[in-house]
Amino acid sequence: MTRFDLHIHSALSACAENTLSPRRIVDRACQAGITLLALTDHNASANVPPALEAGRRHGVGVIPGIEVTTREEAHVLVLFDDLDTLTDWQAVVDAALPAVPNRVEFFGPQIVYDAADEIVGVDERLRQVGIEMGIDAITEAVHERGGVVIPAHVFRRRHSLTSQLGFIDPTAAYDAVEVTPREWRQQAHQLGRLVSGFPVVAGSDSHFLEDVGHWWLEVVEDVTTARGLMSAIRRLAG
């Protein structure tokens, strides 16, 4: 059995709680019985390595991830099976990100922690904006690297496929689409169900420590990677 949450932010996301360190995230997830999580900060991944270390200590699998804001201003979860590939992808994101400093007074700080739960830096670059890559180009580039692409909260009124593009393209190559926990409950979704032709999932989109561990989904298989999880979900979809 794998209990998972693929959408969790740390203090590296300017819109998240400043004390939301990787170690605290993993601690809370472990207490809730979550066995696999993805850390997905906005256009940033510097807090993934300490999350991986914390996960190894607690027996919680951590998927190296990032939430990319596309040129269309849609949010997309990008997940990889290893840190080296995420590091390579981060360089692509950085090259496509406008070279603009963060406005801390408006967006908030972007805090980097180490595995000992100490603040080791502040990311000064504005990451709450779209990169100069469209969603189709992102999907192709991520798949070339063996990664997984999941458009986030696809029916939300901001930063979603439907808010920014007006529709979900059924011919796209996404691995799944994400809805919010509220929509999951309201629509009585189950893993294996398709939305616009794609497997549907839901992540907590946690921005505060108290939110971590309040939402998860489960598959009966024991999986430890993004691709392994997507394979298990696709098998449910038949």
Side-chain angles (χ1 to χ4, degrees):
M1 179 74 71
T2 302
R3 179 178 289 184
F4 65 92
D5 183 356
L6 300 181
H7 195 168
I8 299 178
H9 292 270
S10 78
L12 184 54
S13 291
C15 49
E17 184 178 22
N18 294 343
T19 58
L20 198 55
S21 69
R23 193 178 79 176
R24 292 188 181 103
I25 290 168
V26 173
D27 285 348
R28 291 274 298 195
C30 183
Q31 292 167 14
I34 291 173
T35 58
L36 187 65
L37 64 86
L39 196 64
T40 51
D41 285 309
H42 290 293
N43 291 329
S45 57
N47 276 342
V48 170
L52 286 164
E53 185 169 336
R56 286 190 288 268
R57 289 199 304 268
H58 288 278
V60 175
V62 175
I63 294 173
I66 185 171
E67 184 172 17
V68 177
T69 304
T70 73
R71 183 171 57 205
E72 301 92 349
E73 296 287 339
H75 289 179
V76 179
L77 303 177
V78 172
L79 311 175
F80 295 103
D81 286 350
D82 63 90
L83 181 60
D84 287 344
T85 311
L86 175 63
T87 300
D88 173 70
W89 176 249
Q90 182 68 68
V92 174
V93 171
D94 287 347
L97 189 70
V100 178
N102 184 32
R103 293 173 56 194
V104 176
E105 72 282 0
F106 184 79
F107 293 106
Q110 299 166 154
I111 299 172
V112 181
Y113 280 87
D114 65 10
D117 225 24
E118 298 292 334
I119 295 175
V120 293
V122 176
D123 190 334
E124 302 289 354
R125 192 167 181 181
L126 179 62
R127 296 194 178 270
Q128 300 286 106
V129 294
I131 68 172
E132 287 302 316
M133 289 181 71
I135 189 168
D136 292 336
I138 289 170
T139 301
E140 181 179 0
V142 170
H143 284 166
E144 287 175 353
R145 291 166 171 78
V148 168
V149 176
I150 305 175
H153 40 68
V154 291
F155 298 114
R156 188 173 286 177
R157 293 181 180 179
R158 294 183 61 203
H159 300 305
S160 71
L161 289 184
T162 54
S163 71
Q164 303 308 115
L165 302 179
F167 68 104
I168 302 171
D169 180 1
T171 69
Y174 315 135
D175 296 280
V177 294
E178 183 202 51
V179 298
T180 66
R182 176 180 292 181
E183 289 163 340
W184 185 275
R185 296 187 187 99
Q186 288 176 342
Q187 299 300 318
H189 284 304
Q190 295 181 342
L191 286 174
R193 179 173 292 183
L194 302 180
V195 169
S196 298
F198 302 102
V200 63
V201 296
S204 67
D205 197 7
S206 296
H207 284 70
F208 298 91
L209 186 60
E210 60 265 26
D211 295 334
V212 177
H214 283 191
W215 175 262
W216 62 80
L217 298 175
E218 290 181 333
V219 293
V220 296
E221 300 178 44
D222 291 326
V223 295
T224 59
T225 65
R227 285 186 294 181
L229 182 59
M230 286 301 107
S231 294
I233 292 171
R234 282 193 290 269
R235 283 191 286 274
L236 290 173

